[in-house]
Amino acid sequence: MRTLVIDHPLVAHKLTRLRREETSSATFRLLAEELVTLLAYEATHGLRVQPVTIQTPVAETQGVEMADPRPIVVPILRAGLGMLNGMMKLMPTAEVGFLGMVRDETSLLATTYADRLPHDLHDRQVFVLDPMLATGGTLVAAIDLLLTRGARDVTAICLLAAPEGLAHMEEEFAGRDAVVTVVTAALDERLNEKGYIVPGLGDAGDRLYGVV
Ligand code: URA
């Protein structure tokens, strides 16, 4: 498994504003979107492209275009939805699949309640959007499902990660027949007794959409 912690002043600036408890939901949504676009730029270094011949106003030349089959972006509901626009700005022709996962706040175990993904993901590059890599339970369950459907190149984009979550991912995906990458804006200190990332930013879903 590969982990990329993006070291960039704009990423750090936007993340700091996102963390502030006084940041309103409206501003939080905007910042999350901008931050994801920056992370997506780094996360798509390995995007598959194919050669194409084009005509400029001056001459014929060679370029590239996104290869087929197109990549698929999978936001994990609910909080991953807040990352979708930022990702699609960069890859407007990607497909989007949805995965609904909920974490039991006592056992911290993740269960799937919605699955709108293709049954066959062979040859598809998959970008999973989940803002908080905390225990790793949700992301491990989500990526396991993607690998079961044939995906072999999965990149998870997370606003924040905890060392415990990354260790869990390493344990699950090291030595597997797949390239799994985590791209994040910061690696925080730890999880607290409730499974929240410290210092973190609180509950990402609540901060994006309010407490339900
Ligand atoms: N999920 C969140 O939204 N925040 C955390 O800190 C951990 C999990």
Side-chain angles (χ1 to χ4, degrees), residues 24-91:
S24 68
S25 276
T27 307
F28 191 96
R29 284 195 293 272
L30 204 65
L31 285 166
E33 194 174 315
E34 291 172 351
L35 193 49
V36 172
T37 305
L38 294 172
L39 297 182
Y41 177 76
E42 299 286 347
T44 48
H45 266 296
L47 193 67
R48 278 200 299 266
V49 290
Q50 57 199 24
V52 62
T53 304
I54 57 149
Q55 180 74 41
T56 77
V58 180
E60 192 177 272
T61 188
Q62 304 299 315
V64 297
E65 61 186 11
M66 214 183 273
D68 283 322
R70 284 177 293 156
I72 181 159
V73 176
V74 180
I76 299 185
L77 308 179
R78 139 180 98 129
L81 266 190
M83 302 171 73
L84 185 59
N85 281 350
M87 187 74 192
M88 297 310 282
K89 261 190 192 156
L90 216 57
M91 290 205 304

Side-chain angles (χ1 to χ4, degrees), residues 11 24 33 49 78-79 85 91 95 97-98 106 110 117 129 144 151 172 178 183 185 211:
V11 168
S24 68
E33 194 174 315
V49 290
R78 139 180 98 129
N85 281 350
M91 290 205 304
E95 269 182 42
F98 294 92
T106 315
L117 292 176
L129 308 178
D144 252 332
E172 289 289 331
V183 177
V211 182

Side-chain angles (χ1 to χ4, degrees), residues 22-198:
E22 65 270 28
T23 298
S24 68
S25 276
T27 307
F28 191 96
R29 284 195 293 272
L30 204 65
L31 285 166
E33 194 174 315
E34 291 172 351
L35 193 49
V36 172
T37 305
L38 294 172
L39 297 182
Y41 177 76
E42 299 286 347
T44 48
H45 266 296
L47 193 67
R48 278 200 299 266
V49 290
Q50 57 199 24
V52 62
T53 304
I54 57 149
Q55 180 74 41
T56 77
V58 180
E60 192 177 272
T61 188
Q62 304 299 315
V64 297
E65 61 186 11
M66 214 183 273
D68 283 322
R70 284 177 293 156
I72 181 159
V73 176
V74 180
I76 299 185
L77 308 179
R78 139 180 98 129
L81 266 190
M83 302 171 73
L84 185 59
N85 281 350
M87 187 74 192
M88 297 310 282
K89 261 190 192 156
L90 216 57
M91 290 205 304
T93 57
E95 269 182 42
V96 182
F98 294 92
L99 204 49
M101 309 208 77
V102 67
R103 179 174 86 144
D104 183 291
E105 292 302 331
T106 315
S107 69
L108 303 183
L109 292 176
T111 50
T112 306
Y113 68 86
D115 171 359
R116 300 288 294 179
L117 292 176
H119 285 291
D120 184 4
L121 290 169
H122 284 93
D123 291 333
R124 304 296 295 267
Q125 284 182 298
V126 187
F127 294 89
V128 183
L129 308 178
D130 189 14
M132 309 298 275
L133 174 49
T135 61
T138 303
L139 209 47
V140 163
I143 295 175
D144 252 332
L145 178 68
L146 299 169
L147 299 191
T148 308
R149 301 225 173 142
R152 287 295 170 267
D153 183 349
V154 179
T155 301
I157 303 182
C158 305
L159 299 179
L160 283 182
E164 294 88 335
L166 279 179
H168 187 179
M169 296 270 294
E170 285 279 357
E171 207 172 289
E172 289 289 331
F173 299 118
R176 293 273 282 270
D177 172 29
V179 179
V180 176
T181 307
V182 174
V183 177
T184 184
L187 178 56
D188 271 9
E189 283 167 28
R190 62 185 169 87
L191 295 181
N192 69 12
E193 61 294 345
K194 289 184 175 160
Y196 278 87
I197 298 178
V198 180

